[in-house]
Amino acid sequence: MAPTIDDGPAPNPTVAPFNTGLNGVNQPVNLLFRDVLWWSLGILALIVLGIRIIELSWAKLRLVMSMSIPGEKQAYWKLKQWSWMPGLKEKLMYAPLWKKRHNREVRLSSAVNMGTLPSRLHAVLLFAYVGSNIAYMFFLNWKNENKYSFCAELRGRSGTLALVNMIPLIILAARNNPLIALLQISFDTYNLLHRWIGRIVVIETVIHLISWAYVQVADGGWESVKHKIFHDRFIGWGTIGTVSMVLIFIFSASPLRHAFYETFLNAHIILALVAFIGTWIHCVAASVEGGLPQLPWIIAIMIMWIIERLARMLRLAYCNLGKRGYTEAHVEALPGNACRVTMKLPRFLNVKPGQHAYLRFSRLSPWENHPFSIAWYEHEYEEEALPFSVKETLSVEKTKMNRKPVATTVCFVIGAQKGFTGKLYKAAEAKPSRAITLRAAFEGPYAGHHSLDSYGHCVLFAGATGITHQISYVRHLIDGFNQGIVATRRITLIWTIRDFEALEWVRPWMDQILHMPNRKELLRIKLFITRPKDHREISSPSTKVQMFPGRPNIPMLLMKEVHEQVGAMCVTVCGPGGLADDVRDAVRNAQKERQTLDFVEESFTW
């Protein structure tokens, strides 16, 4: 017999078919779990929507019934609620994951920030979502004796689930997500879910790669894996997408994310785009006719991502360009390492209390943008002919609300930290006047879906620059009381600051509030100065505005308000995580009084 040339071992028929295409993939079950996962998310959204409709209807009824009656006649709304609601709020809705810590950051050292813990309700949702993905992932044919066929099934399942989860991943990351307003769930909650779903996607993608590589190594060794990655478009771009996702996973680890947030954010956007492109080419270049079945999904994902980015650009253009010019920001460096930023927008924007916006400044990393609460806003109205008499002047004031608003001025207080905010403060401080005017961009307003109008009693806690969130509600509620369109009859503002210098942050706006009609009838202000330089400076000008040294005893303060409660009560907090956790804990303990007591926390965790 003539000798033959050895071309290497022939492909193993029990291995080779299962490292490419849909061979060994259980596509019907994959599509079943796709439908189950998407339907479960849709049903959850419908349930939340139904709950929100009931809550809004109840709040509207309470507002209509209470806005024209005095506080002492709102006792019905003080007590009227389902008997099981206080217990549900205490044990689930407002409960932290374990004892007390929720928004207070977990730090291993001053430089190592591990982030925050989810609430108990968030943890239940995350446990259910992660658990369902694990169940879907490993619902496999464990009796399959061919381990390579088994790996192919796992490869198909993990790849399918990764792309299925990328749909909600993209939706939850969007600032212009319509579900925020529809379901009235804060972007902070969506951001939490986005991070956890992102981790699931990365893990499923890595399992997808490992399942393929295991079969490929068995078929042709590690050299064949290397050859496929560098010379096969299908495998190569799939690997690029996977590596991009793994890098996102690494960089998004809490210590790195918090230490280098601005770098992380820019890298996150670039790597996400690379991952999308890699996944798209991976699906297109498959040996399957017409591409992989998941191709329409990645196309939909890229379309949603592009649309959301375009929406941001359009919102930026609309807010900052108009017939009256472009947006400028006047930045003042204030005592206490903070800036007061006044932005004059070239057009009218309908700003509501509790809203925030993303700000950019020219000459100060203009590609970076960060969210800040809108502390104050004023509208400019179209000009009319000057009055010739006092009578005409009064007439102009009466008809002011009927005139067309043409521009809006929005104000912020920004505490100087590292990075972007530190640069902003130093730029203003370096000027002889301690102020600077910059070209700027305003993107917003966002959020503001928590209305306090139907509550007879509002208790607002603020820490440091958290006053910017609360002061907008104070102004709105007093103004609404004077117009007879809110149920609020008592407002208690409790503000904790380090020293007296912080009072300068909001002095011009607080002066306006203190001069509003009927302010004394509604508003009580309690200021707590934790590190006063001179205790003799602490004096209470009246019983309505009081100052105290040290930190507030939050449980005692809140229980006093509960014992004097007027109608339904809402407690809100905006400030450092430790303060927010203390207020949350006090609200949970106050549920034992069996009175209508709601809690809203304004936070923005990364």
Side-chain angles (χ1 to χ4, degrees):
M1 180 180 294
T4 60
I5 298 175
D6 186 3
D7 293 326
N12 189 334
T14 63
V15 178
F18 303 113
N19 59 2
T20 186
L22 298 178
N23 297 316
V25 174
N26 192 340
Q27 194 63 9
V29 175
N30 291 345
L31 297 179
L32 172 65
F33 287 139
R34 174 204 63 183
D35 295 340
V36 170
L37 197 150
W38 283 349
W39 270 103
S40 62
L41 290 175
I43 291 171
L44 178 61
L46 289 174
I47 291 173
V48 174
L49 179 61
I51 293 172
R52 289 293 184 240
I53 291 173
I54 294 172
E55 288 181 341
L56 291 174
S57 301
W58 186 254
K60 190 68 174 180
L61 177 63
R62 186 170 61 205
L63 173 62
V64 172
M65 297 292 290
S66 303
M67 65 184 182
S68 59
I69 61 176
E72 59 269 17
K73 293 187 177 181
Q74 294 188 24
Y76 174 83
W77 300 106
K78 172 182 174 180
L79 301 171
K80 182 60 178 178
Q81 60 182 327
W82 288 298
S83 59
W84 44 266
M85 185 58 73
L88 184 65
K89 292 177 180 178
E90 180 187 359
K91 302 299 183 183
L92 181 64
M93 293 174 61
Y94 302 155
L97 179 61
W98 189 239
K99 292 183 178 180
K100 184 178 178 179
R101 185 188 291 266
H102 169 54
N103 237 355
R104 182 184 175 189
E105 295 171 335
V106 179
R107 290 183 176 271
L108 300 182
S109 69
S110 59
V112 182
N113 187 336
M114 299 301 294
T116 59
L117 297 176
S119 70
R120 194 168 297 171
L121 179 58
H122 291 156
V124 169
L125 294 174
L126 290 172
F127 180 81
Y129 197 82
V130 172
S132 65
N133 269 270
I134 293 174
Y136 302 153
M137 173 74 72
F138 295 107
F139 187 84
L140 304 168
N141 182 12
W142 293 91
K143 296 180 180 180
N144 190 345
E145 296 181 357
N146 187 331
K147 58 184 179 181
Y148 306 111
S149 174
F150 178 86
C151 285
E153 185 181 5
L154 178 60
R155 170 171 57 84
R157 184 67 46 76
S158 56
T160 297
L161 288 175
L163 267 171
V164 166
N165 281 302
M166 285 176 72
I167 298 287
L169 178 71
I170 295 303
I171 294 174
L172 295 173
R175 293 176 193 168
N176 296 283
N177 176 4
L179 295 178
I180 294 176
L182 184 64
L183 303 182
Q184 298 201 349
I185 296 176
S186 68
F187 182 68
D188 191 59
T189 296
Y190 284 117
N191 205 21
L192 170 70
L193 299 176
H194 168 78
R195 291 197 297 269
W196 278 94
I197 294 177
R199 291 163 185 151
I200 293 172
V201 168
V202 174
I203 292 171
E204 290 171 342
T205 303
V206 170
I207 292 174
H208 180 70
L209 177 64
I210 292 174
S211 300
W212 167 80
Y214 180 81
V215 180
Q216 186 63 41
V217 169
D219 185 39
W222 283 105
E223 282 298 320
S224 69
V225 173
K226 179 180 177 181
H227 183 271
K228 288 275 188 180
I229 290 175
F230 287 100
H231 298 92
D232 188 312
R233 191 163 67 114
F234 173 66
I235 299 300
W237 278 101
T239 304
I240 290 172
T242 302
V243 171
S244 299
M245 293 183 189
V246 171
L247 289 175
I248 292 174
F249 184 87
I250 294 171
F251 295 154
S252 64
S254 190
L256 292 176
R257 188 174 75 246
H258 285 88
F260 310 101
Y261 177 71
E262 289 158 0
T263 302
F264 155 76
L265 188 60
N266 294 324
H268 187 87
I269 295 171
I270 295 171
L271 289 171
L273 182 59
V274 172
F276 296 154
I277 295 173
T279 305
W280 172 56
I281 297 176
H282 179 67
C283 292
V284 169
S287 58
V288 180
E289 184 178 354
L292 291 178
Q294 293 82 3
L295 178 59
W297 310 349
I298 187 60
I299 292 175
I301 288 167
M302 295 185 68
I303 289 174
M304 286 191 295
W305 190 82
I306 292 171
I307 289 176
E308 206 279 329
R309 293 286 158 176
L310 287 175
R312 294 189 191 185
M313 295 171 61
L314 292 174
R315 187 187 283 262
L316 274 170
Y318 177 80
C319 292
N320 300 285
L321 299 174
K323 295 180 180 179
R324 304 172 67 87
Y326 50 83
T327 299
E328 285 190 336
H330 183 67
V331 183
E332 305 169 75
L334 301 176
N337 291 328
C339 295
R340 185 165 55 226
V341 178
T342 303
M343 301 183 78
K344 294 187 177 181
L345 308 179
R347 65 172 69 247
F348 165 76
L349 289 180
N350 183 23
V351 181
K352 296 185 293 184
Q355 291 190 306
H356 65 265
Y358 290 81
L359 306 185
R360 292 174 171 85
F361 296 91
S362 63
R363 306 202 305 272
L364 291 173
S365 305
W367 60 87
E368 293 179 11
N369 60 99
H370 298 269
F372 301 100
S373 294
I374 299 173
W376 200 261
Y377 59 91
E378 298 284 353
H379 300 308
E380 183 179 340
Y381 295 84
E382 59 186 0
E383 297 181 358
E384 291 189 353
L386 294 175
F388 292 98
S389 65
V390 174
K391 184 177 181 181
E392 288 189 21
T393 301
L394 295 175
S395 177
V396 167
E397 290 299 319
K398 289 180 179 179
T399 59
K400 183 178 179 180
M401 298 305 296
N402 296 325
R403 293 158 54 192
K404 181 181 178 182
V406 294
T408 299
T409 298
V410 289
C411 304
F412 307 82
V413 174
I414 301 175
Q417 306 293 333
K418 298 178 181 178
F420 169 81
T421 56
K423 293 178 185 177
L424 183 65
Y425 179 80
K426 290 178 181 177
E429 186 186 36
K431 299 295 181 180
S433 61
R434 292 177 60 85
I436 187 173
T437 299
L438 300 169
R439 286 283 299 271
F442 172 100
E443 182 191 338
Y446 292 105
H449 47 261
H450 291 298
S451 173
L452 307 185
D453 294 1
S454 67
Y455 294 97
H457 197 149
C458 297
V459 183
L460 316 177
F461 286 89
T465 55
I467 188 64
T468 55
H469 179 78
Q470 306 294 28
I471 202 171
S472 63
Y473 278 109
V474 173
R475 174 199 186 187
H476 169 79
L477 293 173
I478 296 176
D479 189 53
F481 174 81
N482 290 327
Q483 296 181 48
I485 58 174
V486 300
T488 308
R489 299 296 179 265
R490 177 165 173 171
I491 307 167
T492 302
L493 175 63
I494 301 170
W495 185 21
T496 303
I497 53 178
R498 179 173 297 180
D499 51 46
F500 282 94
E501 291 180 338
L503 296 176
E504 187 60 33
W505 300 348
V506 296
R507 186 179 301 279
W509 312 320
M510 193 60 74
D511 286 344
Q512 292 189 49
I513 287 175
L514 295 178
H515 287 87
M516 292 180 73
N518 300 310
R519 183 270 306 174
K520 293 182 179 180
E521 185 177 341
L522 268 75
L523 181 62
R524 292 165 176 78
I525 300 176
K526 299 179 187 292
L527 292 172
F528 288 85
I529 298 93
T530 59
R531 299 179 186 176
K533 296 177 181 177
D534 187 349
H535 283 267
R536 291 174 296 180
E537 294 178 343
I538 299 178
S539 61
S540 301
S542 70
T543 58
K544 304 293 185 179
V545 180
Q546 298 176 303
M547 295 186 182
F548 306 92
R551 299 183 181 277
N553 185 331
I554 292 173
M556 185 183 71
L557 289 170
L558 184 59
M559 196 54 64
K560 182 179 184 296
E561 296 294 327
V562 171
H563 290 160
E564 301 172 0
Q565 185 170 334
V566 178
M569 177 187 287
C570 186
V571 178
T572 74
V573 60
C574 183
L579 172 68
D581 289 352
D582 288 340
V583 175
R584 175 185 294 270
D585 189 59
V587 170
R588 292 180 63 220
N589 291 329
Q591 297 297 330
K592 296 179 176 64
E593 300 295 318
R594 314 295 295 179
Q595 296 174 185
T596 303
L597 176 57
D598 293 338
F599 174 69
V600 176
E601 179 183 16
E602 176 66 17
S603 63
F604 205 93
T605 56
W606 291 99

